[in-house]
Amino acid sequence: MSNAKTIKKAVLPVAGLGTRFLPATKAIPKEMLPIVDTPLVEFAVREAIEAGIEEIIFVTSHTKRSIEDHFDRNLELELKLSSSNKESYLDKVNLNEYEGIKFSFVRQRDQRGLGDAISQVSHLILPDEYFAILLADDLFDGNPGVTSQLMDAFKLHGKSIIAVNEVSEEETKKYGVISGELSGNLTSIEEIVEKPQSNPPSNLAVTGRYLLSGEIMEELKTLEPGFGNEIQLTDAIAKMLQKGEMLGLKYDALKFDCGSKEGFVQANIHFAKKQYIIS
Ligand code: G1P
């Protein structure tokens, strides 16, 4: 029996082309680009597992096979490491955290936007089930992780909840933007708009972590293309808002926008310092 108030599934859309990182992403998925020595996508997966997720569902494409390999075992490599005095690397290639975690992969055939990517897995999410969405491009350094912070708020309130942060007015153009009165770090969302090019409803930007009711799938089915002529998750959330309360959580963590070169380089510097690789 599914327990509506326990979130065990996370969806990670990873089908994007990674155009901004060409030529690196010609043959390598952008999610596999390393932050020091760890592929970007592994940070999101570990954050999800830390938050109690047991099933990771990737929305992928034919150019992203190495992501499947990365979350599988590589027995030949493990054997070589153990027989050549390199055992210390074993836990890097087969993390204990992955024990018991199910990884599934669903292909998105056309790139029609984030909302379209999420709707590809509608058959794996029940309407009365809540699930997490993590966009790997948004990399956080938080303790606990941002998904855990959302889970804690979800356990208290039992409602769909989105991670938000304050950005400058100029930057609101790049994000989903909500409005609502903050009480502490939580707000009831009044409005949500995808990438407002003028008159943003506030400076609270949506970041890539969501806990949503499976009802979103029904909204996505009938959605017309929105900003950028793409099916926008934000627009489906706006429709859900008309039916019931949703919350925004101002998380406590450092954020790196690894969809941009600047954020990607900054993340590398941050984690290299944290691991004492550079000072
Ligand atoms: C997506 C969402 C946007 C959100 C952003 C967070 O946009 O559509 O609402 O603010 O992720 O990273 P993208 O960055 O994929 O264009």
Side-chain angles (χ1 to χ4, degrees), residues 1-278:
M1 205 178 75
S2 84
N3 178 348
K5 297 295 179 209
T6 322
I7 301 183
K8 294 291 173 200
K9 295 178 188 168
V11 178
L12 275 72
V14 293
L17 291 176
T19 324
R20 275 187 267 178
F21 285 89
L22 283 168
T25 49
K26 185 179 170 195
I28 295 169
K30 80 168 172 194
E31 296 79 8
M32 289 300 291
L33 297 179
I35 303 297
V36 186
D37 56 4
T38 303
L40 183 54
V41 66
E42 189 171 315
F43 286 86
V45 166
R46 293 170 81 161
E47 182 187 313
I49 294 172
E50 177 213 58
I53 295 295
E54 293 173 357
E55 189 171 343
I56 309 268
I57 305 165
F58 292 95
V59 182
T60 173
S61 74
H62 68 287
T63 59
K64 307 270 176 155
R65 288 201 189 98
S66 57
I67 298 179
E68 296 186 33
D69 292 341
H70 187 72
F71 292 102
D72 197 355
R73 291 189 67 180
N74 181 337
L75 292 174
E76 193 188 341
L77 175 62
E78 287 181 35
L79 208 64
K80 281 187 182 148
L81 290 173
S82 22
S83 61
S84 58
N85 264 336
K86 289 182 176 155
E87 282 97 347
S88 60
Y89 287 99
L90 276 176
D91 58 354
K92 284 198 178 261
V93 297
N94 180 24
L95 299 181
N96 290 331
E97 289 105 300
Y98 296 165
E99 194 68 41
I101 304 295
K102 281 191 211 148
F103 293 99
S104 344
F105 301 86
V106 174
R107 293 262 179 109
Q108 182 184 21
R109 293 163 77 100
D110 301 306
Q111 311 292 309
R112 296 175 57 222
L114 177 59
D116 181 60
I118 300 302
S119 70
Q120 302 303 312
V121 300
S122 58
H123 58 298
L124 300 177
I125 308 285
L126 300 169
D128 68 345
E129 178 180 39
Y130 283 80
F131 68 107
I133 298 174
L134 289 89
L135 309 183
D137 273 359
D138 284 340
L139 169 57
F140 296 97
D141 188 8
N143 187 18
V146 173
T147 306
S148 292
Q149 295 177 30
L150 287 175
M151 289 283 197
D152 288 345
F154 177 77
K155 280 174 199 149
L156 282 178
H157 303 281
K159 295 195 165 133
S160 294
I161 179 162
I162 300 172
V164 297
N165 69 343
E166 280 163 344
V167 299
S168 68
E169 185 168 340
E170 189 45 40
E171 280 192 310
T172 53
K173 290 189 178 73
K174 299 195 293 185
Y175 300 103
V177 180
I178 67 157
S179 64
E181 278 295 307
L182 272 172
S183 156
N185 56 1
L186 213 58
T187 178
S188 178
I189 301 177
E190 286 161 8
E191 198 188 342
I192 184 164
V193 188
E194 181 67 8
K195 305 197 172 93
Q197 297 303 294
S198 58
N199 302 322
S202 81
N203 68 339
L204 287 176
V206 173
T207 57
R209 299 294 184 272
Y210 310 73
L211 302 182
L212 297 177
S213 152
E215 286 166 14
I216 194 91
M217 298 300 182
E218 215 34 55
E219 304 297 350
L220 284 168
K221 258 190 211 161
T222 53
L223 213 57
E224 295 292 325
F227 183 85
N229 203 27
E230 292 188 333
I231 307 288
Q232 296 292 350
L233 180 63
T234 300
D235 295 345
I237 293 173
K239 287 198 160 188
M240 293 238 299
L241 257 187
Q242 293 167 8
K243 299 181 180 161
E245 192 182 26
M246 298 175 85
L247 304 172
L249 176 81
K250 220 175 104 184
Y251 60 82
D252 178 19
L254 275 178
K255 180 195 156 193
F256 301 94
D257 173 9
C258 292
S260 76
K261 287 178 195 167
E262 187 193 352
F264 182 79
V265 171
Q266 274 166 356
N268 265 293
I269 294 170
H270 171 78
F271 284 97
K273 282 186 177 164
K274 212 173 161 177
Q275 294 169 30
Y276 304 106
I277 293 164
I278 58 171

